[in-house]
Amino acid sequence: MTDSHVIERSALHVLSPLPYAEDALEPIISARTIGFHYGKHHRGYVDALNKLIAGTEFADLSLAKLIAETAGKADRIALFNNAAQTWNHTFYWHSLRSKGGGEPPVALKQRIEASFGSLDACKKELATAATTQFGSGWAWLVLEAEKLRVVKTGNAETPLTKGVKPLLAIDVWEHAYYLDYQNRRADYVSAVLDKLINWGFASENLG
Ligand SMILES: [Fe+2]
């Protein structure tokens, strides 16, 4: 291995470690699903991203900068898709936790009640966004100005580029649930909201 190869490698994006064991989300999301989703899909986006940026003016940009620079640019779609999917997936893993769901921390719960009326109404809106996203995409809880909102995005699109602050993400690409739930996306979404969603992470993101 030459020195220049070592230097080149230091600029590569890395697959963020999964914040728990692959079987930690069972029985809601199986270790098999996580194995494919994290080990193949997420890793695939990171690998593709590194190939696309090699030797280009994008090679030294941070992931967030890369996403901002390529968003909405027709000639940079592959780069944007792989960069945004790299970011979205890391954010999704942290949006879930073993024994999640339940009650959000007090300050977050108050913000949820101020924005949606109740925690149930917020969960319902997230479930509706997740189940009505046509085809592949994401449902998000975001902070816009001082208000919490639910938004959905298609394919690799991310709220990062839309002037809002992401708080939580639910992946609704089929690869996120098909092995465990087949076509029953609504069952996956409601189980995630009741048993896995990481309100503590949303609270940290609120700042
Ligand atoms: Fe995914």
Side-chain angles (χ1 to χ4, degrees):
M1 188 181 284
T2 64
D3 283 346
S4 67
H5 186 60
V6 172
I7 290 163
E8 231 172 80
R9 282 181 60 83
S10 69
L12 291 180
H13 293 275
V14 295
L15 178 66
S16 285
L18 198 61
Y20 32 71
E22 288 191 357
D23 63 357
L25 307 182
E26 289 198 338
I28 313 301
I29 299 177
S30 66
R32 190 158 178 255
T33 289
I34 301 284
F36 280 103
H37 196 177
Y38 175 72
K40 304 284 185 196
H41 292 275
H42 193 181
R43 184 183 300 278
Y45 296 125
V46 178
D47 290 347
L49 174 63
N50 283 325
K51 279 197 187 114
L52 286 164
I53 61 171
T56 74
E57 75 264 36
F58 298 101
D60 297 325
L61 297 186
S62 70
L63 190 56
K65 193 99 189 347
L66 199 47
I67 292 167
E69 295 273 316
T70 55
K73 294 194 175 144
D75 57 339
R76 300 292 182 197
I77 286 174
L79 201 48
F80 171 80
N81 283 344
N82 286 288
Q85 285 294 77
T86 295
W87 191 92
N88 289 348
H89 279 86
T90 300
F91 196 81
Y92 168 65
W93 302 127
H94 287 271
S95 296
L96 307 178
R97 70 179 183 92
S98 166
K99 300 192 177 75
E103 290 285 305
V106 176
L108 173 63
K109 194 173 179 202
Q110 285 169 351
R111 298 290 290 272
I112 287 174
E113 287 170 349
S115 298
F116 298 95
S118 67
L119 176 62
D120 273 353
C122 172
K123 285 169 66 179
K124 206 174 222 179
E125 227 179 282
L126 275 166
T128 301
T131 51
T132 59
Q133 169 55 40
F134 187 76
S136 298
W138 300 83
W140 305 83
L141 181 66
V142 302
L143 177 66
E144 183 174 31
E146 286 305 298
K147 214 166 156 40
L148 303 194
R149 281 185 57 210
V150 165
V151 296
K152 55 186 175 180
T153 60
N155 298 318
E157 290 292 331
T158 173
L160 266 189
T161 61
K162 303 179 197 308
V164 298
K165 191 175 189 189
L167 303 179
L168 283 175
I170 303 174
D171 189 341
V172 297
W173 284 59
E174 281 188 348
H175 65 222
Y177 61 87
Y178 211 84
L179 290 176
D180 299 328
Y181 296 86
Q182 292 76 52
N183 61 325
R184 292 175 285 112
R185 186 194 286 186
D187 291 351
Y188 153 75
V189 169
S190 93
V192 161
L193 284 168
D194 286 340
K195 308 272 177 53
L196 297 181
I197 205 77
N198 187 352
W199 295 117
F201 180 61
S203 184
E204 285 166 25
N205 290 323
L206 204 50

